[in-house]
Amino acid sequence: MAYDADVIVIGAGLAGLVATAELVDAGKKVILLDQEPEQSIGGQAHWSFGGLFFVDSPEQRRFRIKDSRALAMQDWLGTAGFDRPEDHWPRQWAEAYVNFASGEKRAWLHAQGMRFFPVVGWAERGGYDATGHGNSVPRFHITWGTGPGVVAPFERRVREGVARGLVEFRFRHRVTGLSRTAGVVDTVSGEILEPSGAERGTASSRETAGEFELRAQAVIVTSGGIGGNHDLVRAQWPERLGTPPEFMLSGVPAHVDGLMLGITEEAGAHHINRDRMWHYTEGIQNWNPIWAKHGIRILPGPSSLWFDARGKRLPVPLFPGFDTLGTLEHIQKSGYDYTWFVLDQKIIGKEFALSGSEQNPDLTGKSIRDVIGRARADVPAPVKAFMDHGADFVV
C-alpha cells in the first residue's frame, strides 16, 4: 500500500505549524489535518498573550536583570518537582528547552520576523526558598503582536510549503483512530466534517460528510490539551487540589477537547502526568464571549488585597501572580469556589492587564500610539469595559 505523504501532522495549532514548517525545511511531504475550518488555523495560540520564556535576553539585560541558564534550570526543576519514574523524558525535555531558551531561541525567532515588547514580565514569582516553586527573576517576554504574532511566521512558512507542493491542508478532518503496520503507527482514519463558516473560536458543526484513511511513514500528534472539556478536567482532577470547582471557565474554545489524547493512548502512546494540570485562579467571565464559558485571566500586580469567600486574607506567599497551583489548592480546600480581589482605581489602572490577544488590541495590532495611550489612561479600555459590564466586578 502506497504512502499518501512522508508525514501526517494531526492538529493545525502552533505546535502543528512549527512541526510542519520544520518538515518542509527538511524537504518532506506533509499532510496537515485539523477538525476545525481553516479560519481557526493557529488554534488556541492565536488567542494567547504571546508570552515567551527567554533566559539572559537583551530585554532582561536592559533592565539589569541578572539571569543565567543555571538559574533558569534551578527554577524549572524547583517548579516541576520531578519525582516519578516517568519524569525521565520530561526532565530531558526541560534541560533541552532551557538550553534553547538561553541560546538560539530568541535569535531564531527574530530571524523569522518576530519582535518583542521591551518590558519583561514576572509571572509565577513563587515566594519560597531558592530551590522551590517559581521564577527567581522576570522572564515573561511579550511578543509584539501577541498570539497572532507568534503564529504568523510559522503559518507563513507552512503556506510557502503549500505553494511548493510539499504541504496539503485537510481541514474538517476529525481523527478517530490510529493503526499500525509492522508495529509502526502509519495509518490515520476518521470522519470528514461538513464545511463550516464558523468564525474563529466559535463552535463549528459536527455533522459528518464522509470518512477518510491516510498513510504516511510517520505520524505526529499535535492536538492540544483538555481545557475546553470540563468533564475530562474533572475526571483527571488530582486529590491534592481538593474538590473540583462546580463552575469553571474556559480560556480556550470548546474544540480543545482532549479527545485525541485518548485516541493516541489507545494506539500505544505513553500518556503520563495527566494529574499535573494547570488552572488559573484569577479567571473572570468574559462580558463579550466568543466561545461558551469564555474566561479571561486577570494579570494582576501584587498590590491588590486577596481574600477568600469568608473575607480572610490568603496566606503568604499566595499573593497575586506568585503561586497559581498553591493558591488553587488553598481555595479549593476552603469549601468555596471563588475569592475576592479588593483594590482601588489607582491600582487597577496601574497594575491590571488582561490575558489574551483580543484583550490587548494595542499590542496585537502593533500600534505604538495605542500602547502610549494605554499608559496615559487612568484605566486601560479593555479593563474599563469589564468594570462597566463584567459580571464579576463590583465598583
Side-chain angles (χ1 to χ4, degrees), residues 178-219:
L178 302 172
S179 53
R180 299 168 178 261
T181 301
V184 176
V185 175
D186 64 352
T187 304
V188 180
S189 58
E191 301 166 337
I192 301 173
L193 304 178
E194 68 179 7
S196 173
E199 294 184 10
R200 180 189 290 272
T202 61
S204 61
S205 168
R206 290 295 179 261
E207 291 295 321
T208 60
E211 298 179 344
F212 73 91
E213 183 175 285
L214 297 167
R215 296 185 74 245
Q217 298 177 58
V219 176

Side-chain angles (χ1 to χ4, degrees), residues 47 200-201 230 247-253 283-297 355-359 386 392:
W47 302 104
R200 180 189 290 272
H230 294 180
F247 178 70
M248 297 181 186
L249 297 171
S250 294
V252 294
I284 53 176
Q285 300 174 73
N286 193 345
W287 67 271
N288 188 23
I290 297 171
W291 52 81
K293 296 184 178 180
H294 187 171
I296 297 295
R297 186 198 175 199
S355 187
S357 56
E358 84 282 10
Q359 297 298 329
F386 274 89
D392 299 309

